[in-house]
Amino acid sequence: VPDPFSRTPGLRLYRTGDLARHRADGAIEFLGRIDHQIKLRGFRIELGEIEAALLDHPSVREALVLTWEVQPGDTRLVAYVVPAAPAPTVDELRAMLTTRLPSYMVPSAFVSLDALPLTPNGKIDRHALPAPSTTALDRAAPIVPPATPTEAQLAGLWQDLLGQAAIGRHDEFFVLGGHSLLATQLVARVRATLDVELPLRVVFEAPTLAGLAARIDALRDMDGTSVPPLVAVSREQALPLSFAQQRLWFLDQLTPQSAAYIMPLAFRLHGALDVAALQSSLNALVARHEALRTTFQLHDGEPVQVIAPPQPLPIRVLDLQAQPAPERAAQVQQWVQQVATTPFDLEEGPLLRVTLVRVAATEHVLLLSMHHIITDGWSLGVLLRELSVLYTAHVSGQSAALPALAVQYADYALWQRQWVTGAVLDRQLGYWRQQLADAPPVLELPSDRPRPAVPSHQGARVRFTVDAAVTAGVRQLSQAAGVTLFMTLLGVWQGLLSRLSGQDDIAVGTSVANRTQA
């Protein structure tokens, strides 16, 4: 590439793949490899930084860190270490890294090797590295096997979720690679396997296998912990809305034609596009998921789900190839805006719309929009994953490898209504009535204009950067307090609102996945 630092024309630079920066004193500081930066659970991680920390240990001669997919959607950091005498233990390495790196950069597994495998030209052969479950450094202390039936059952769940071959009763869930999403899945599996309603906070309060098993045993005999099974039901009966759907239906009745709960998606598609295969894939997706063909109507004064039979989903195709390039870009942006703001009719439907903008022969923009009442952020991942599988199958003329669905969302809604009733409903409502008792009706923030009677939903996003030292300190504070980073920042946010408003009772709403069923 041209040398941007030289005043002599024609000089060139060679890209090595190394990431570096100029310091104020003129020296060049090496930061790691450009091609080895990864993003894991929302964090950008420079693998070279972890390797450099490992090499600072006197008993580590060589180190390599990479990601390993334990199972689809569950990727972990794995450190491969060539030890020097005396060989370090996993606990020693993990303890050393914990003092120097944030928790999300500490590998979940450590593998000891006599030497790193090399290719014929002397580079590290990453494909020849063994799986972390087959070769691992010994722990500092031997594994103490589970001592009770509950510990044994719980250990099996941990092995499956964490990808560990063996679990000891003193092992900690988060030290072995667990995180908040896996903790949510653990709660669901405890419910399905042990028939106990385990609050998510208990996983944080009792992170060891023995401690969590003891809490489960204490909950087992309490009233209301048993949850009925979630099974498919007949479609001949009236299908109620889930509590989440009922909230969204109510808000739609309160402010009809609102765009506040539209979930738009926009994707640039590069390369040859088989529009017929895309159409067939979308049709198959709508046929597979009842929620995508559901509308909401009143029945005896109560809203119910109405599931339409499968039918082709119309795709609006816009061809902008004849337009000049600047106008094409502007028109694409206009369509993105229109898709994101065109309201839905929950009674008439459909609540899924598809627009395909043809920008050039090998460039398209796919626009999807759905109402939040039939989808959410987690569901979008399912939709895109399955659309990819279906499209690939249609293009290649093969059958899509998607397992049959045991239950649909309408089954879940009816299950929720049948379970959260009576004493269970009273207990949950009682909890929130107590938590929200005497909550202020409005947050009195000082502003430069009066608060409007009806919110406009017009806002903006301001981006800023928190430096590495402050970030590391906040993470260390979270770890010391035994809370997640989200909990810490939520506390900071509420403290700020309290300072600005002068109020000491702050109610903040947050989006949650609400996935509590296996």
Side-chain angles (χ1 to χ4, degrees), residues 32 55 113 120 334:
L55 290 172
L113 300 174
Q334 289 175 6

Side-chain angles (χ1 to χ4, degrees), residues 340-408:
T341 55
T342 302
F344 287 96
D345 186 325
L346 300 190
E347 185 172 348
E348 293 296 328
L351 303 184
L352 164 63
R353 299 193 189 108
V354 182
T355 301
L356 182 66
V357 183
R358 184 175 290 116
V359 181
T362 57
E363 183 179 356
H364 297 75
V365 177
L366 179 64
L367 304 176
L368 304 176
S369 68
M370 289 169 281
H371 195 282
H372 192 12
I373 200 169
I374 65 163
T375 190
D376 63 1
W378 196 310
S379 303
L380 296 181
V382 176
L383 183 146
L384 296 176
R385 208 161 47 237
E386 294 193 357
L387 181 58
S388 176
V389 171
L390 290 165
Y391 179 80
T392 302
H394 278 100
V395 169
S396 59
Q398 300 177 351
S399 298
L402 291 175
L405 299 177
V407 292
Q408 298 272 349

Side-chain angles (χ1 to χ4, degrees), residues 71-237:
Q71 55 189 2
D74 184 11
T75 301
R76 313 279 180 83
L77 289 174
V78 177
Y80 292 87
V81 175
V82 178
T89 66
V90 168
D91 290 348
E92 288 174 1
L93 294 176
R94 181 175 283 119
M96 186 267 291
L97 293 180
T98 300
T99 62
R100 303 185 52 173
L101 301 172
S103 59
Y104 65 87
M105 293 180 66
V106 177
S108 299
F110 294 79
V111 179
S112 179
L113 300 174
D114 294 332
L116 295 176
L118 302 178
T119 63
N121 54 5
K123 294 187 176 182
I124 296 176
D125 187 354
R126 296 170 180 266
H127 298 291
L129 292 166
S133 58
T134 58
T135 310
L137 287 170
D138 293 329
R139 304 182 186 208
I143 294 177
V144 179
T148 68
T150 302
E151 288 182 14
Q153 288 180 291
L154 191 60
L157 300 180
W158 282 29
Q159 286 174 303
D160 187 32
L161 280 172
L162 302 174
Q164 297 285 336
I167 300 291
R169 66 190 310 263
H170 301 307
D171 286 340
E172 293 192 28
F173 184 77
F174 297 101
V175 170
L176 294 181
H179 48 78
S180 57
L181 291 178
L182 284 178
T184 304
Q185 294 183 39
L186 176 63
V187 167
R189 298 191 185 198
V190 166
R191 178 187 300 109
T193 305
L194 303 177
D195 196 25
V196 171
E197 188 67 22
L198 179 68
L200 180 61
R201 59 177 171 77
V202 174
V203 182
F204 289 88
E205 293 171 354
T208 66
L209 183 77
L212 190 58
R215 297 290 291 272
I216 290 173
D217 286 335
L219 288 168
R220 193 185 296 274
D221 297 329
M222 292 178 60
D223 293 336
T225 58
S226 180
V227 180
L230 172 54
V231 296
V233 298
S234 169
R235 296 299 185 260
E236 299 302 320
Q237 59 186 304

Side-chain angles (χ1 to χ4, degrees), residues 182-451:
L182 284 178
T184 304
Q185 294 183 39
L186 176 63
V187 167
R189 298 191 185 198
V190 166
R191 178 187 300 109
T193 305
L194 303 177
D195 196 25
V196 171
E197 188 67 22
L198 179 68
L200 180 61
R201 59 177 171 77
V202 174
V203 182
F204 289 88
E205 293 171 354
T208 66
L209 183 77
L212 190 58
R215 297 290 291 272
I216 290 173
D217 286 335
L219 288 168
R220 193 185 296 274
D221 297 329
M222 292 178 60
D223 293 336
T225 58
S226 180
V227 180
L230 172 54
V231 296
V233 298
S234 169
R235 296 299 185 260
E236 299 302 320
Q237 59 186 304
L239 298 170
L241 278 59
S242 69
F243 290 114
Q245 287 178 322
Q246 186 180 26
R247 289 193 293 272
L248 291 163
W249 180 86
F250 172 79
L251 291 170
D252 184 77
Q253 302 296 304
L254 194 65
T255 54
Q257 299 297 304
S258 170
Y261 291 97
I262 295 174
M263 299 190 67
L265 295 169
F267 302 96
R268 286 196 178 274
L269 309 179
H270 301 286
L273 177 66
D274 189 331
V275 178
L278 177 63
Q279 175 74 73
S280 298
S281 303
L282 288 166
N283 291 344
L285 196 68
V286 172
R288 176 174 168 81
H289 293 281
E290 291 178 348
L292 298 179
R293 43 190 167 91
T294 297
T295 52
F296 302 86
Q297 301 177 10
L298 283 176
H299 178 73
D300 293 336
E302 293 291 332
V304 296
Q305 301 189 54
V306 179
I307 303 170
Q311 54 188 339
L313 178 70
I315 299 181
R316 179 169 49 185
V317 180
L318 306 170
D319 196 332
L320 304 181
Q321 295 181 92
Q323 302 291 333
E327 294 184 16
R328 286 202 303 265
Q331 289 191 32
V332 167
Q333 189 58 42
Q334 289 175 6
W335 277 105
V336 169
Q337 183 68 19
Q338 180 174 331
V339 164
T341 55
T342 302
F344 287 96
D345 186 325
L346 300 190
E347 185 172 348
E348 293 296 328
L351 303 184
L352 164 63
R353 299 193 189 108
V354 182
T355 301
L356 182 66
V357 183
R358 184 175 290 116
V359 181
T362 57
E363 183 179 356
H364 297 75
V365 177
L366 179 64
L367 304 176
L368 304 176
S369 68
M370 289 169 281
H371 195 282
H372 192 12
I373 200 169
I374 65 163
T375 190
D376 63 1
W378 196 310
S379 303
L380 296 181
V382 176
L383 183 146
L384 296 176
R385 208 161 47 237
E386 294 193 357
L387 181 58
S388 176
V389 171
L390 290 165
Y391 179 80
T392 302
H394 278 100
V395 169
S396 59
Q398 300 177 351
S399 298
L402 291 175
L405 299 177
V407 292
Q408 298 272 349
Y409 191 79
D411 301 313
Y412 167 80
L414 184 60
W415 167 88
Q416 186 187 56
R417 290 289 182 173
Q418 292 175 339
W419 171 44
V420 185
T421 185
V424 176
L425 178 61
D426 291 342
R427 185 170 63 251
Q428 295 198 14
L429 285 177
Y431 170 85
W432 285 110
R433 288 192 177 106
Q434 179 180 357
Q435 295 297 319
L436 299 175
D438 302 322
V442 68
L443 186 65
E444 297 293 350
L445 288 175
S447 59
D448 59 349
R449 66 199 70 187
R451 180 191 297 269

